[in-house]
Amino acid sequence: MAVSGQEPWLDGNAGRLVRPYQVSGGRTRPAHPLNLLSLVKATGREAAPRHGPEHARILELCRRAPVPVAELAAHLRLPVAVTKVLVADLIDHGAVQTRHPGAATDPSDPIVLEALLDGLRQRL
Amino acid sequence: MACGNACDDEFPAAAKVLVAGGFGVGKTTFIGAVSEITPLSTEELITAASVGTDSLAGVAGKSTTTVAFDFGRITVDARHVLYLFGTPGQERFWFLWNELSNGALGAVVLVDTRRLTGSFEAVDFFERRGIPFLVAINEFDGAFRYEPEEVRAALRLGPDVPVVPCDARAARSATSVLVALVRHLLARAVSSRPV
Ligand SMILES: Nc1nc2c(ncn2[C@@H]2O[C@H](COP(=O)(O)OP(=O)(O)OP(=O)(O)O)[C@@H](O)[C@H]2O)c(=O)[nH]1
Ligand SMILES: [Mg+2]
C-alpha cells in the first residue's frame, strides 16, 4: 500500500491534537539525553516550587520502583517528548536518578537472553 | 549524581521487544495478553519525532499532533524487565519505528492470514535494519489456516526466520511466541560468537 502524500495529516488516525505545551514551556528537547526505556527513580527530594503538578505526578509514579520514560508518558497522558523535558527538569533538581538500559539491550548477550528465557518459560 | 553499586540493585536491566505487523493484525491484543499491566497507550509528538525540532516555539499558536503506540511490561525476574512496544500500524507513522527499534532485542511480526501481505512492510523494515524477528501467525476464527511454510514463501522469509502459529488473545500462546523469539535470539548469539 503506497502512501499517497495527498492525505491530510490531521485526520482521525493521527491522534488527538495537542496545543504546544504549557507544562514544558513549549520545550520538546530535554536537557539530558533520555530514551523511551530510560528508567527513572525518585531520590526522595521533593519537586521545586517552580515545578508544576506533572512534575509532582512523575515523582509519585517512580517513588517505589524505577519506571521507564514511555510508561511515565502513558500515565501522564503526555507525549514522550514533553515527558522527557519534565524528567530532565527533575534530574537538574536532584529529585530523580535515571539509568539507561544497559547490557540487556545487547541482543547477543547470552546471559541476559538465558535469564529472559527462564523467566518467560516460568510464565507458561 | 553518585550512583554506586547500591543503585545497580534498584535498576533492573530493561529489554525491549517490538510487536509489529499490518493494520488490525492483533498487536494490541497480543501485548494485552502477555503484559502484567493493562497495555498503555504512549504518545509521541509528530513534529518532535519526525523532524527532531528543539522547540515548539516556532509553531506557537498552531496545533501539533500525536501518534500513539502500545506499551506493555513483563517483570521476568528481580533483575530483568521486558518491555513490549507495539508499532503504529500506519505506514506514514513509521518514522516512529526508528526510535522504537533503537536498542530492541528483536521483534514479533504478527500476520493475519486473511491479509498476509499486510505485514510485508514490517518484515522488510526489520530485515533492512538487521533486527532479528520471527513471524507469528495470528489464527483468527474462521480464517484459512496456512502452513508455516506457505506463509514463509508468501512473505519471502529466509530459512532462518522462525514462523509460529499463535492466538494473540491467549496469554499462554502469546508468551510462547516470546519464548520462541528469545530462543531464536540465543541461537543467533551463540552461533555468532567465537568458540
Ligand atoms: N478471533 C480472533 N480475534 C482476534 C485475535 N487477535 C485479535 N483479534 C481481534 O481483532 C481485532 C484487532 O485486534 P487489535 O489487537 O486491535 O489489532 P492491532 O494490530 O492492534 O490493530 P491496529 O492497532 O489498529 O493496527 C480486535 O477486535 C481483536 O479483538 C485472534 O487471535 N483471534
Ligand atoms: Mg492496536
Side-chain angles (χ1 to χ4, degrees):
Chain A
M1 249 189 313
V3 181
S4 73
Q6 307 285 2
E7 291 166 49
W9 275 86
L10 307 181
D11 59 20
N13 294 312
R16 66 194 170 97
L17 292 173
V18 288
R19 288 278 156 200
Y21 277 88
Q22 301 93 327
V23 292
S24 65
R27 295 167 297 160
T28 60
R29 179 63 53 96
H32 296 271
L34 292 165
N35 63 42
L36 287 167
L37 279 192
S38 299
L39 293 169
V40 183
K41 174 90 169 67
T43 58
R45 181 166 187 183
E46 294 305 314
R50 68 175 181 281
H51 292 147
E54 291 80 9
H55 292 91
R57 180 90 180 102
I58 290 174
L59 293 181
E60 215 175 278
L61 287 165
C62 65
R63 192 155 327 261
R64 285 154 153 255
V67 179
V69 166
E71 188 170 340
L72 291 173
H75 287 302
L76 291 167
R77 297 179 168 281
L78 288 175
V80 172
V82 174
T83 304
K84 286 176 179 171
V85 170
L86 303 182
V87 170
D89 290 344
L90 292 169
I91 295 173
D92 284 339
H93 186 58
V96 296
Q97 288 185 330
T98 57
R99 170 66 57 86
H100 299 292
T105 61
D106 174 3
S108 63
D109 183 347
I111 294 166
V112 169
L113 293 172
E114 291 283 6
L116 293 178
L117 188 57
D118 283 350
L120 285 171
R121 269 201 200 126
Q122 279 171 29
R123 302 173 75 91
L124 286 177
Chain B
M1 220 176 305
C3 186
N5 289 334
C7 75
D8 283 348
D9 296 330
E10 274 193 277
F11 287 86
K16 170 159 69 171
V17 161
L18 303 188
V19 179
F23 183 70
V25 290
K27 301 179 291 290
T28 304
T29 305
F30 183 97
I31 292 176
V34 293
S35 176
E36 66 204 17
I37 52 172
T38 307
L40 297 166
S41 179
T42 300
E43 289 182 330
E44 186 52 289
L45 288 174
I46 283 180
T47 46
S50 52
V51 296
T53 55
D54 283 335
S55 162
L56 292 181
V59 291
K62 287 187 211 141
S63 289
T64 182
T65 189
T66 61
V67 54
F69 53 96
D70 302 310
F71 173 78
R73 181 180 71 209
I74 301 174
T75 303
V76 169
D77 61 34
R79 304 275 311 119
H80 301 89
V81 185
L82 184 61
Y83 293 98
L84 298 151
F85 287 88
T87 55
Q90 294 208 329
E91 267 180 87
R92 66 198 164 119
F93 297 137
W94 281 25
F95 61 82
L96 187 62
W97 287 45
N98 285 320
E99 180 171 5
L100 289 176
S101 61
N102 195 5
L105 286 183
V108 171
V109 176
L110 282 170
V111 300
D112 175 347
T113 53
R114 296 166 302 181
R115 281 164 297 164
L116 270 183
T117 51
S119 293
F120 194 78
E121 284 87 357
V123 166
D124 192 50
F125 178 92
F126 296 119
E127 270 175 355
R128 277 171 199 272
R129 281 164 185 77
I131 297 169
F133 66 97
L134 62 62
V135 167
I137 308 169
N138 193 12
E139 300 194 319
F140 283 81
D141 307 324
F144 185 78
R145 299 283 155 110
Y146 285 90
E147 290 301 318
E149 289 316 307
E150 293 178 272
V151 172
R152 182 186 304 284
L155 290 174
R156 280 173 254 147
L157 302 172
D160 53 316
V161 177
V163 180
V164 297
C166 83
D167 180 340
R169 297 164 301 179
R172 199 184 158 84
S173 176
T175 303
S176 66
V177 171
L178 294 177
V179 167
L181 176 66
V182 176
R183 280 218 180 90
H184 176 53
L185 298 175
L186 256 173
R188 283 172 53 108
V190 170
S191 68
S192 69
R193 271 183 194 227
V195 189

